[in-house]
C-alpha cells in the first residue's frame, strides 16, 4: 500500500483489460486463434480437401493441386502432405494433374457435406443463432460430429431433405434430392418462380442478400433483366439486384399460372384502416416462433387489420380473431397477406 | 425374421417421409389450424363484443399515443414508487418500534431472568431474532404496498401497454418489451421481479430479464441510498438545496441502474445468449375492472408472503453469523476485526473500506441489514461510543448521529458515492439467487447472474475511486 498511486492503479487496470481483450475478443482473440490452430489437424485438412473436390465435381469443374492450395486456408506443405496421404489411402487419384475422387472418397465427402448441412438445419430450426453465422459454425462442426451422431441429429430433425439455404442434404446412403430451378439472371422478364436455393458463398454476396430480406420459398416475378441489374417483385416489395448477386439465387419456374395469387404482400406493409386476409407464413419463420404464430391465429384465411400503431414505430399491434397481438416488423414481414 | 420385418418397415417409413418432403408437416399443421378456424367461424357467435372493444380502443389510443403515452406511463409508475417509498415509512417505523425497541429488550430481560448463558442469549436474541425482526420491519411494508398496486395495474390491463410502448427500446438491446414490467417489478423486489419474468415466453429474452433484474434498485436498497445521499450528498450543497440534491443523487443511481440493465442486456444477447431461441409476441388483453379484493389477497399471499418467508429463512442464519463473527475471538481480535483488516486494502482500492465489504458479505441474505451491520461493525472497530454491543445491529433515529459514526469510521464523500454505486452493483440477495436458480433450473445462469454484477461493481467503484483521487 505504501507506493499506491491512483495513476499506477489505473494503468495496471487498463493493462489487464487490454490483455484480456487481446486474448479473448470474439473470433480474433489470441486464445481462440490458438485453439483453432490446434483443431486444424490433418483430419480437418483431408476432409476439407474432399469437400472441395466434391463441390468442384458436382459443378463439373476440374481441380489441380495449384487451385486447391489457393482455395484452402492451410499451410501449403500441409495440404501437399495431406493429398499424398489421401492418394495412398485410395480416397483420391490424379489424372494428368487433375485431382479426382475415388468411390470411397466421394462417400467420405458426402458424409462431411451431410453433417455440414444437417448442422445448418439444426441451427436454423432449434437455436436462435443468426443466419450470418450458420455457415461458419457448420464448417467447424462438420469435423467433429461422428457418423452415428449425425444419424441421431437427422432423426431428431425429422430427416430433413434440404438445408436452410435449399441445398439438398444427402441421406445416410448418399441419396440426395435434386434442386429444381435455374439461376435468377437466366429467367426472362415476366416469368414467375419460387426461390429454391440461396447460395451462402461467397460471404460478401450472401450478406447482401440477407440485408435485402429475400427469403427462401418466396414467389417472385421478374420485372426487368439486363446486364446491369435485375429487378423483381416478391411479396409486395420490389428488389433490385446486380446480376452477380442475383446469380446466387436459384429460382424454380412455376408453370401453372393458377397457383399464384395476385397482390400477395407482407403484413409489415399493411397500413392503418386497411384490412387483409392471411395467406400464410413464410418458410423463413421456423420452429418455435412459427408454432407460436399459428397458436395465436395467424393461419390461412384469418382476417387481419392494424389495431394500434406504436408511438416508437415498432412493434405494431394487429387485430386477429378479436385479439390484439403486437408483432415486431421483422416478424410481420414473414407473414403473407392479401389486402382486401 | 420378425426383426427383419420391423427394420424393413422403419426403412420404408424413412424412405416415404423423405419422399413427402419437408413441407408436408408444416402444411398438415397449418391446414389443421385453418380447419379449426373455419369451424369456429361457423359455430361460434360473438355478442356485443363490439361495444366493449370500442371503449378499449379509445383507452388504447390515449395510453399508446405519441404525446400522452410516455407521460402517462412515467406518472403512473412514479406514483406507485413514491407511494411505496413514502407510504412504507410509517408502518415500517411502527413495526421497528414494536419488534426492535419493545420486543427485543423484553426478550433480553426475559433471557436474563431465566439465567440463560450470555452466549446463547446473544446468539439467539441479538443474532437470529434481530436479523429476522429487521428484515420484517423494513421489507414487509413496502412489499405489502407495492405488490398489490402493481398487481392491480396488471389486472386492469395497463401493463402490457407499457411493454408495447417500450418494446423498441428493449428490442435494440436484444430484450423483450415485457422486460419493462419485470424491471419495474424489480424496483419492488428483485426476487419477485425474477418470478415475474415468467410472462416472457421467449427463452432467450427471459434469461436476459432474469440476469439483469438485479440492476433495478429494490426496496431493500432504496433506504440505504436515501440515507447515505441525505448524510453525504446533501451536505455538500447549501442547506436549502440539500434535500433536492440528495433526491437527484438517488434518482441518478436508479437511472444508472437502468442504463446498466440495457447495456448488459445488449452484451448478453450478443455474446453468451446468442444461441438461445427467441420468439416474440405480445398480447394486448382487453381492459377489465380489476377484481380488487382478489388481487389484494393473491398479491399478499403469492408475492409478499412467499418472498418474505424466503427472506426470513435466509436472514436468520445471517443474524447468527453476524453475531458470531463479532463475538468469537481468534487470538486477541474478533473474526470480524480480522476479516476487516484483511479486506481494508482491497476496500481502499475500491474507494470503500473493509467494514463495508464485510457487511456486504454477511448481509448477502438481505440488503435491508447492510446499514445496521455497517454501523455495528464501525462502532466495534473504531471503539467509539454508541451502539448496542458487539454483534448487535442497530440504527439511529437521528440522521446526524448516523453521519457522525460513519465519519468517525473514516467515511468521505467518495466512500458515500461508491457505497451508493456498490449498493446498486453487487450480487443479488440470497433470496433472489435462490429464486433465479428455481426459475432457470441452471447452476450456470445462477452463477452468471450472481457474479457478474459484483465484478461490474468492483470495476465501476475502482474507476470512480482512482479518477476521484486524481481530480481532488
Amino acid at each position: 500500500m505504501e507506493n499506491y498511486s491512483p495513476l499506477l492503479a489505473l494503468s495496471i487496470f487498463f493493462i489487464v483489460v487490454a490483455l484480456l481483450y487481446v486474448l479473448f475478443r470474439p473470433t480474433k482473440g489470441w486464445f481462440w486463434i490458438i485453439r483453432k490452430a490446434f483443431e486444424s489437424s490433418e483430419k480437418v485438412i483431408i476432409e476439407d480437401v474432399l469437400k472441395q473436390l466434391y463441390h468442384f465435381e458436382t459443378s463439373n469443374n476440374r481441380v489441380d493441386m495449384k487451385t486447391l492450395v489457393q482455395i484452402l486456408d492451410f499451410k501449403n506443405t500441409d495440404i501437399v502432405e495431406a493429398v499424398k496421404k489421401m492418394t495412398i489411402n485410395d480416397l483420391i487419384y490424379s489424372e494428368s494433374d487433375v485431382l479426382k475422387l475415388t468411390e470411397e472418397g466421394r462417400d467420405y465427402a458426402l458424409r462431411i457435406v451431410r453433417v455440414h448441412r444437417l448442422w445448418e438445419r439444426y441451427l436454423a430450426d432449434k437455436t436462435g443463432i443468426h443466419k450470418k453465422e450458420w455457415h461458419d459454425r457448420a464448417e467447424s462442426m462438420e469435423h467433429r460430429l461422428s457418423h452415428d451422431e449425425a444419424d441421431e441429429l437427422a432423426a431428431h430433425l425429422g430427416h430433413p431433405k434440404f438445408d436452410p439455404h435449399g441445398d439438398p442434404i444427402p441421406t445416410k446412403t448418399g441419396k440426395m434430392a435434386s434442386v429444381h430451378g435455374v439461376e435468377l439472371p437466366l429467367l426472362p422478364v415476366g416469368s414467375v418462380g419460387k426461390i429454391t436455393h440461396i447460395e451462402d458463398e461467397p460471404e460478401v454476396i450472401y450478406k447482401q442478400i440477407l440485408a435485402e430480406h429475400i427469403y427462401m420459398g418466396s414467389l417472385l416475378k421478374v420485372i426487368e433483366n439486363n446486364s446491369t441489374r435485375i429487378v423483381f417483385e416478391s411479396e409486395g416489395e420490389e428488389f433490385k439486384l446486380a446480376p452477380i448477386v442475383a446469380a446466387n439465387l436459384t429460382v424454380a419456374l412455376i408453370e401453372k399460372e393458377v397457383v399464384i395469387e395476385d397482390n400477395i404482400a407482407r403484413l409489415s406493409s399493411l397500413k392503418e384502416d386497411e384490412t387483409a386476409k392471411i395467406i400464410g407464413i413464410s418458410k423463413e419463420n421456423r420452429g418455435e416462433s412459427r408454432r407460436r404464430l399459428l397458436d395465436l391465429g395467424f393461419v390461412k384465411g384469418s382476417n387481419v387489420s392494424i389495431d394500434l400503431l406504436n408511438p416508437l414505430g415498432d412493434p405494431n399491434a394487429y387485430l386477429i380473431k378479436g385479439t390484439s397481438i403486437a408483432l415486431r416488423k421483422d416478424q410481420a414481414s414473414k407473414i403473407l397477406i392479401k389486402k382486401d | 425374421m420378425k426383426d427383419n420385418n420391423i427394420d424393413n418397415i422403419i426403412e420404408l417409413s424413412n424412405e416415404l417421409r423423405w419422399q413427402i418432403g419437408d413441407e408436408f408437416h408444416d402444411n398438415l399443421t397449418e391446414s389443421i389450424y385453418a380447419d379449426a378456424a373455419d369451424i369456429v367461424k361457423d359455430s361460434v357467435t360473438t355478442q356485443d363484443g363490439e361495444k366493449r372493444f370500442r371503449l378499449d380502443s379509445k383507452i388504447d389510443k390515449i395510453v399508446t399515443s405519441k404525446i400522452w403515452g410516455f407521460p402517462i406511463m412515467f406518472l403512473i409508475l412514479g406514483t406507485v414508487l413514491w407511494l411505496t417509498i413514502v407510504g412504507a415509512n410509517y408502518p415500517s417505523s411502527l413495526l421497528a418500534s414494536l419488534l426492535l425497541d419493545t420486543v427485543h429488550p423484553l426478550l433480553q430481560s426475559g433471557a436474563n431472568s431465566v439465567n440463560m448463558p450470555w452466549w446463547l442469549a446473544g446468539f439467539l436474541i441479538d443474532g437470529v431474532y434481530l436479523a429476522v425482526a429487521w428484515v420484517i420491519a423494513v421489507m414487509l411494508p413496502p412489499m405489502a404496498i407495492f405488490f398489490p398496486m402493481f398487481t392491480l395495474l396488471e389486472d386492469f390491463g395497463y401493463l402490457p401497454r407499457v411493454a408495447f410502448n417500450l418494446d423498441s427500446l428493449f428490442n435494440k438491446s436484444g430484450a423483450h418489451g415485457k422486460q419493462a414490467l419485470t424491471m419495474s417489478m424489480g424496483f419492488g423486489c428483485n426476487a419477485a421481479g425474477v418470478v415475474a419474468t415468467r410472462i416472457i415466453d421467449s427463452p432467450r429474452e427471459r434469461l436476459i430479464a432474469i440476469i439483469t433484474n438485479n440492476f433495478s434498485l429494490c426496496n431493500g436498497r432504496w433506504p440505504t441510498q436515501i440515507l447515505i445521499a441525505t448524510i453525504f450528498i446533501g451536505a455538500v450543497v447549501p442547506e436549502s438545496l440539500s434535500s433536492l440534491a440528495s433526491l437527484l443523487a438517488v434518482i441518478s443511481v436508479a437511472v444508472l441502474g437502468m442504463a446498466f440493465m440495457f447495456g448488459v442486456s445488449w452484451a448478453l444477447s450478443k455474446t453468451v445468449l446468442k444461441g438461445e431461441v427467441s420468439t416474440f409476441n405480445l398480447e394486448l388483453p382487453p381492459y377489465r375492472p380489476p377484481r380488487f379484493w382478489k388481487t389484494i389477497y393473491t398479491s399478499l399471499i403469492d408475492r409478499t408472503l412467499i418472498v418474505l418467508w424466503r427472506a426470513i429463512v435466509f436472514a436468520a442464519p445471517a443474524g447468527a453469523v453476524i453475531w458470531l463473527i463479532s463475538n468469537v475471538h481468534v487470538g486477541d481480535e474478533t473474526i470480524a476485526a480480522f476479516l476487516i483488516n484483511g479486506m481494508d486494502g482491497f476496500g481502499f482500492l475500491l474507494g470503500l473500506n473493509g467494514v463495508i465489504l464485510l457487511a456486504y458479505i454477511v448481509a448477502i441474505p438481505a440488503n435491508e441489514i447492510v446499514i445496521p451491520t455497517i454501523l455495528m461493525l464501525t462502532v466495534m472497530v473504531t471503539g467509539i461510543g454508541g451502539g448496542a454491543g458487539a454483534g448487535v445491529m442497530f440504527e439511529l433515529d437521528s440522521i446526524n448521529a448516523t453521519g457522525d459514526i460513519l465519519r468517525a469510521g473514516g467515511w468521505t464523500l467518495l466512500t458515500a458515492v461508491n457505497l451508493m454505486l456498490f449498493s446498486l452493483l453487487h450480487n443479488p440477495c440470497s433470496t433472489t439467487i435462490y429464486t433465479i436458480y428455481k426459475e432457470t433450473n441452471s447452476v450456470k445462469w445462477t452463477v452468471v447472474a450472481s457474479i457478474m454484477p459484483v465484478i461490474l461493481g468492483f470495476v465501476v467503484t475502482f474507476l470512480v475511486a482512482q479518477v476521484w483521487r486524481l481530480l481532488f
Side-chain angles (χ1 to χ4, degrees), chain B residues 167-216:
Chain B
D167 181 68
S168 72
L169 292 181
F170 284 87
N171 188 12
K172 285 196 186 87
S173 51
H176 194 294
K178 284 184 191 162
Q179 195 172 322
L181 309 186
T182 64
M183 182 190 80
S184 317
M185 187 64 117
F187 285 127
C189 169
N190 294 135
V194 169
V195 175
T197 60
R198 287 181 191 167
I199 57 172
I200 302 175
D201 46 15
S202 174
R204 171 165 69 184
E205 281 79 355
R206 176 152 185 240
L207 266 177
I208 292 178
I210 288 177
I211 294 174
T212 58
N213 196 273
N214 187 41
F215 294 118
S216 295

Side-chain angles (χ1 to χ4, degrees), chain B residues 104-125:
Chain B
H104 183 233
L106 267 181
L107 283 174
Q108 274 176 328
S109 57
N112 273 337
S113 65
V114 295
N115 285 328
M116 199 184 267
W118 73 271
W119 51 268
L120 187 61
F123 179 85
L124 288 178
I125 297 168

Side-chain angles (χ1 to χ4, degrees), chain A residues 1 4 6-7 9-10 13 121 126-129 133 137 158-162 171 175-177 194 272 283 288-290 292 294-296 299-300 307-312 314-317 319 321-328 331, chain B residues 14-15 17-19 21-23 26-27 29-30 33-34 37 41 53 60-61 64-66 70 164-165 167-169 171 175-177 201 204 274-284 345 348-349 459 462-463 466-467 469-470:
Chain A
M1 272 298 116
Y4 162 82
L7 217 49
L10 270 184
F13 174 79
R121 180 94 241 168
K126 306 281 177 186
T127 73
I129 309 263
E133 293 181 31
R137 281 170 184 259
H159 298 282
K161 225 168 164 177
F162 294 99
T171 60
K175 218 164 79 169
M176 234 194 305
K194 186 179 175 186
E272 214 182 357
K283 288 280 167 275
E288 202 57 21
S289 104
R290 183 183 190 92
R292 189 63 46 74
L294 290 173
D295 284 343
L296 291 171
V299 292
K300 202 171 169 180
D307 185 43
L308 275 179
L309 291 174
N310 193 290
L312 297 177
D314 191 40
N316 289 328
L319 192 60
K321 295 194 185 298
T323 313
S324 183
I325 306 278
L327 294 180
R328 289 178 178 165
Q331 291 175 299
Chain B
N14 280 342
E15 182 75 12
R17 194 202 324 241
W18 200 70
Q19 281 177 21
D22 284 351
E23 299 190 352
D26 274 352
N27 292 344
T29 330
E30 267 152 52
Y33 273 104
K41 207 193 303 177
F53 222 88
D60 270 342
K61 282 264 146 52
T64 65
S65 82
K66 270 189 184 146
F70 293 102
F164 175 74
N165 284 346
D167 181 68
S168 72
L169 292 181
N171 188 12
H176 194 294
D201 46 15
R204 171 165 69 184
K274 202 154 60 169
E276 302 285 328
V277 179
S278 148
T279 61
F280 173 84
N281 59 70
L282 176 64
E283 199 177 327
L284 302 175
F348 175 76
L349 268 184
V459 171
F462 171 82
L463 289 176
Q466 310 317 315
V467 173
R469 283 170 191 154
L470 278 179

Side-chain angles (χ1 to χ4, degrees), chain B residues 52-53 55-57 59-60 150-161 283-292 294-295 298:
Chain B
R52 265 198 57 74
F53 222 88
L55 178 66
D56 268 23
S57 70
I59 303 177
D60 270 342
F150 206 76
T151 318
L152 283 176
L153 280 179
E154 196 175 5
D155 209 35
F156 172 59
Y158 176 65
L159 293 188
R161 273 73 183 177
E283 199 177 327
L284 302 175
Y287 294 100
R288 60 170 181 210
R291 291 157 298 175
F292 191 78
K294 190 173 180 249
T295 307
T298 50

Side-chain angles (χ1 to χ4, degrees), chain B residues 120-405:
Chain B
L120 187 61
F123 179 85
L124 288 178
I125 297 168
D126 295 338
V128 175
Y129 169 78
L130 204 55
V132 170
W134 217 293
V135 167
I136 294 178
V138 185
M139 202 168 178
L140 181 60
M143 288 206 301
I145 297 173
F146 182 82
F147 288 146
M149 282 201 289
F150 206 76
T151 318
L152 283 176
L153 280 179
E154 196 175 5
D155 209 35
F156 172 59
Y158 176 65
L159 293 188
R161 273 73 183 177
V162 173
F164 175 74
N165 284 346
L166 290 176
D167 181 68
S168 72
L169 292 181
F170 284 87
N171 188 12
K172 285 196 186 87
S173 51
H176 194 294
K178 284 184 191 162
Q179 195 172 322
L181 309 186
T182 64
M183 182 190 80
S184 317
M185 187 64 117
F187 285 127
C189 169
N190 294 135
V194 169
V195 175
T197 60
R198 287 181 191 167
I199 57 172
I200 302 175
D201 46 15
S202 174
R204 171 165 69 184
E205 281 79 355
R206 176 152 185 240
L207 266 177
I208 292 178
I210 288 177
I211 294 174
T212 58
N213 196 273
N214 187 41
F215 294 118
S216 295
L217 209 55
C218 71
N219 260 329
R221 292 182 273 172
W222 284 104
T224 308
Q225 299 282 350
I226 295 171
L227 178 74
I228 301 299
T230 316
I231 296 174
F232 289 93
I233 312 272
V236 291
V237 294
E239 208 169 309
S240 56
L241 295 173
S242 67
S243 58
L244 183 69
S246 43
L247 180 69
L248 278 180
V250 175
I251 290 177
S252 2
V253 170
V255 171
L256 184 71
M258 288 191 226
F260 269 102
M261 187 272 299
F262 278 114
V264 172
S265 298
W266 177 82
L268 284 172
S269 70
K270 288 285 176 246
T271 55
V272 281
L273 286 174
K274 202 154 60 169
E276 302 285 328
V277 179
S278 148
T279 61
F280 173 84
N281 59 70
L282 176 64
E283 199 177 327
L284 302 175
Y287 294 100
R288 60 170 181 210
R291 291 157 298 175
F292 191 78
W293 292 111
K294 190 173 180 249
T295 307
I296 301 276
Y297 175 79
T298 50
S299 66
L300 280 181
I301 299 297
D302 288 353
R303 287 177 171 161
T304 314
L305 286 187
I306 286 177
V307 171
L308 187 68
W309 173 243
R310 279 188 188 170
I312 289 174
V313 168
F314 286 113
V321 168
I322 291 171
W323 189 83
L324 284 176
I325 58 166
S326 350
N327 282 287
V328 176
H329 290 256
V330 179
D332 12 315
E333 54 180 6
T334 58
I335 298 180
F338 176 75
L339 291 173
I340 289 171
N341 284 335
M343 288 188 294
D344 246 347
F346 184 57
F348 175 76
L349 268 184
L350 302 179
L352 300 168
N353 58 41
V355 169
I356 297 173
L357 290 181
L358 181 63
Y360 268 100
I361 292 173
V362 292
I364 285 176
N367 282 296
E368 284 81 354
I369 54 175
V370 165
I371 288 293
T373 311
I374 287 180
L375 287 176
M376 184 271 286
L377 290 175
T378 307
V379 168
M380 198 182 85
V381 174
T382 53
I384 54 168
V392 188
M393 293 177 281
F394 67 94
E395 225 165 30
L396 297 169
D397 290 334
S398 145
I399 286 176
N400 286 333
T402 312
D404 290 341
I405 290 185

